[in-house]
Amino acid sequence: MPVDYSKWDALELSDDSDIEVHPNVDKKSFIRAKQSQIHQERQQRKTRMEALKYEVALHEALLKRISALLAALRVRANEAAATANPGQLAFQAVMESAGDQKDDKLPPVPEGLRVDPNQPTSYSGMMAGLLDQVNKAMADTKPEDRYAGMLKEIEVHETQVKTLIKESGEELAKLEKEEGKKITSEGIHTGFDSSFVSKASATGGDSTKVELLNPNFNPSGEGSSSSSSKDASANKTDDDDDLEASPAARKFADIKPTDYSASLDYLSKNPQILTERETDGLLVLAFDAALEGKEDRSRQCVHQALLLQYCRSLGRDGVALFFKRITASGGNNAKEVFYKDVQDTYARIRTRAREIVAERANEPEGVEQIQLHAVEPGTVIAISVPAADSEDPEVQEAREIYEHFSDEMRAALETGELDKVNEVLGSLSVEEAEEYVNLFGEANILSLEEQIIDGTTEEGKQQIKALEAKAAAERAAEAEGEPAGDPE
């Protein structure tokens, strides 16, 4: 029967023997550059695919919550037209569509993907932000039927989320198709292991023994990989520098959780603290208190922070509606939801704070630093500051990244001296220094260049001799038949 060789068309191979370059261009350097280009394009495609998968999962979960809220609001549409207080019905719909608190946490961010540090860390926070936008739209348009206007505005957000899911899904499918066109070494895996049965006669009867062709294979998979993937826990301290509660919000945090009359009176006099930023600022205070071991203070700050969030999410009359429900005699669903949210949020903060305290206690002495050095002999790291008056879009984009650097870093880069840049990097934390190095790459500020050696000095003559000796050793290795590197 004929053999079908078409499956080999997808192999992405490199054949160094048929590459022809200009005599003045080093063939090995050209091959290494081609290798770098292949791997860079592949890595960029994978990073984009991970980002799209994260966006689709995030938006699909958010869409479920928006649809649940719309369903709860539509059920009460007729009742809202007959009642004098539609805000209370809206509150009940929000509580019913809140969902299970165990599923409130956002999915972990893929490694290497940067997100907005001000982005909410839970779906309830995203829903609160959505309701803030709805309330602002209601304040601007002032519809006669506020309940119907709120329904219409939420439906607009639902349509937008559906559009985002569709666009991200289409782009992801396109990238996955492009990724599947080529067979690379990363796609190699064991399909199956063969075995056969060896029968041997014995006095006690026939016995069956299974002999594996791969006897070292461990079916349980133990020992095959010593490292397992762990969910990246959100480090709250990364955002503390950008979020700080105002003095008015700090005074509000001093009010005891049981004194709802004092909280209501304070909010009536200081409505400006009913913002998402103040809520986040109080949560930062709660986290700082947990790090210091002040658990009562931490729980109190969490209570007051979520109180602001609930009042804000309930709309124009949210403050009055919240305190009416929370101070009502007897048990009700609204109380239970709020108290459970407070306890769960505090528990997460306390757990993470204890983990950080333990990590700090186990940290070795000394300070870790990020420094830049050229690895390849005969090369130096050159610094190129993007021109401010360039009309090239890429240079303009690089200049915009450069303008966001600190004054110290810009001054060091403008000197063109790598030692000055390393001094600034050494004064930063490892996370901040790594962020700068990544931005240098995006803006093409650093590049490797051949080192210019002055052959008239003794030091230059010694460097030339060392390079000539290395080149002779490489030629000797090639003469012995040492294979060149494969771009794969």
Side-chain angles (χ1 to χ4, degrees):
M1 60 179 290
V3 180
D4 183 13
Y5 293 100
S6 61
K7 63 181 180 179
W8 304 114
D9 295 340
L11 281 173
E12 188 172 14
L13 301 176
S14 61
D15 187 0
D16 301 344
S17 62
D18 63 352
I19 293 179
E20 296 183 2
V21 297
H22 193 274
N24 293 338
V25 178
D26 181 44
K27 184 175 181 179
K28 289 186 177 180
S29 299
F30 181 83
I31 293 174
R32 285 197 297 267
K34 191 65 176 178
Q35 291 175 354
S36 178
Q37 179 184 359
I38 292 174
H39 290 290
Q40 185 177 6
E41 291 176 354
R42 189 181 302 160
Q43 186 59 40
Q44 289 176 351
R45 186 164 57 246
K46 288 184 177 179
T47 301
R48 181 57 181 163
M49 288 168 61
E50 289 295 328
L52 290 172
K53 291 178 182 177
Y54 174 76
E55 291 176 6
V56 170
L58 185 71
H59 289 146
E60 285 180 346
L62 180 62
L63 180 62
K64 291 181 180 178
R65 285 163 172 76
I66 296 176
S67 300
L69 176 58
L70 281 172
L73 290 172
R74 291 186 182 116
V75 169
R76 292 172 171 79
N78 295 332
E79 188 178 352
T83 184
N85 189 8
Q88 186 171 359
L89 295 177
F91 175 79
Q92 294 175 358
V94 171
M95 291 300 179
E96 289 181 5
S97 62
D100 193 345
Q101 290 295 323
K102 294 185 295 183
D103 302 328
D104 192 42
K105 188 177 180 181
L106 299 183
V109 180
E111 184 178 358
L113 180 63
R114 290 185 297 168
V115 298
D116 186 359
N118 296 323
Q119 175 180 301
T121 58
S122 63
Y123 288 111
S124 59
M126 297 181 72
M127 290 297 294
L130 184 146
L131 292 174
D132 280 345
Q133 297 179 30
V134 172
N135 289 328
K136 290 178 182 177
M138 294 296 98
D140 294 339
T141 58
K142 297 179 181 179
E144 296 181 0
D145 188 346
R146 184 178 178 84
Y147 196 91
M150 180 172 59
L151 266 173
K152 184 177 180 181
E153 187 66 25
I154 296 177
E155 288 173 351
V156 171
H157 286 275
E158 182 186 35
T159 304
Q160 292 175 350
V161 174
K162 288 181 178 179
T163 303
L164 288 174
I165 293 174
K166 180 181 178 182
E167 293 176 351
S168 299
E170 291 175 351
E171 184 179 355
L172 178 60
K174 182 179 179 181
L175 291 176
E176 288 178 341
K177 182 178 180 181
E178 180 69 22
E179 183 74 11
K181 287 182 178 180
K182 298 295 181 181
I183 301 175
T184 65
S185 58
E186 296 179 2
I188 298 175
H189 63 279
T190 302
F192 58 88
D193 286 320
S194 301
S195 63
F196 66 90
V197 178
S198 176
K199 296 183 179 181
S201 60
T203 57
D206 294 340
S207 62
T208 302
K209 178 183 178 182
V210 177
E211 182 177 354
L212 295 178
L213 293 180
N214 184 7
N216 295 323
F217 174 68
N218 187 354
S220 64
E222 296 178 358
S224 61
S225 176
S226 59
S227 61
S228 61
S229 61
K230 299 180 179 179
D231 293 337
S233 58
N235 191 345
K236 186 72 176 180
T237 58
D238 293 342
D239 301 335
D240 290 354
D241 296 338
D242 299 330
L243 299 174
E244 184 176 353
S246 66
R250 289 175 178 268
K251 290 182 180 179
F252 182 71
D254 295 335
I255 301 175
K256 298 296 182 182
T258 55
D259 194 354
Y260 286 111
S261 60
S263 295
L264 176 59
D265 181 65
Y266 191 87
L267 287 178
S268 301
K269 297 177 181 178
N270 300 274
Q272 73 277 7
I273 67 173
L274 287 167
T275 63
E276 183 179 357
R277 181 177 182 82
E278 298 292 8
T279 298
D280 294 339
L282 292 185
L283 290 176
V284 171
L285 289 180
F287 190 79
D288 292 340
L291 289 175
E292 298 173 2
K294 302 176 181 177
E295 296 188 355
D296 292 339
R297 171 65 176 174
S298 177
R299 185 184 292 106
Q300 180 172 321
C301 290
V302 170
H303 180 279
Q304 297 301 88
L306 294 186
L307 191 154
L308 293 179
Q309 177 179 314
Y310 274 66
C311 289
R312 190 179 65 253
S313 64
L314 293 176
R316 182 176 53 187
D317 300 327
V319 175
L321 184 58
F322 173 81
F323 282 97
K324 179 181 178 182
R325 297 285 293 175
I326 207 69
T327 57
S329 58
N332 57 67
N333 187 44
K335 278 186 180 180
E336 295 175 1
V337 170
F338 176 71
Y339 290 148
K340 186 177 185 304
D341 197 2
V342 171
Q343 185 59 32
D344 291 346
T345 303
Y346 166 69
R348 290 195 295 270
I349 289 177
R350 181 184 59 186
T351 300
R352 182 55 186 151
R354 290 177 177 177
E355 291 175 354
I356 291 177
V357 171
E359 290 171 2
R360 290 176 178 175
N362 296 329
E363 284 181 356
E365 295 183 359
V367 179
E368 186 179 359
Q369 293 183 347
I370 298 295
Q371 298 286 278
L372 300 174
H373 298 285
V375 179
E376 291 288 336
T379 60
V380 294
I381 297 179
I383 299 174
S384 175
V385 177
D389 55 352
S390 175
E391 297 181 357
D392 189 343
E394 293 184 359
V395 178
Q396 292 176 355
E397 184 178 353
R399 183 69 186 187
E400 184 178 355
I401 296 175
Y402 172 79
E403 293 293 343
H404 286 83
F405 292 168
S406 64
D407 295 339
E408 294 80 3
M409 181 58 74
R410 290 201 302 270
L413 291 171
E414 288 173 358
T415 63
E417 299 179 11
L418 188 62
D419 292 339
K420 297 291 185 182
V421 177
N422 282 332
E423 287 180 7
V424 179
L425 292 175
S427 64
L428 303 175
S429 65
V430 175
E431 293 77 10
E432 292 174 328
E434 289 178 343
E435 180 68 17
Y436 266 117
V437 173
N438 292 333
L439 293 175
F440 290 163
E442 293 183 15
N444 294 322
I445 291 178
L446 302 181
S447 61
L448 282 177
E449 294 183 357
E450 294 292 334
Q451 184 180 14
I452 300 175
I453 300 175
D454 187 359
T456 61
T457 63
E458 288 298 326
E459 182 181 359
K461 291 177 180 178
Q462 292 178 0
Q463 292 179 359
I464 292 174
K465 289 181 179 180
L467 292 175
E468 290 176 346
K470 182 179 179 182
E474 290 180 353
R475 287 194 297 270
E478 290 178 359
E480 294 176 1
E482 182 175 338
D486 187 353
E488 282 298 315

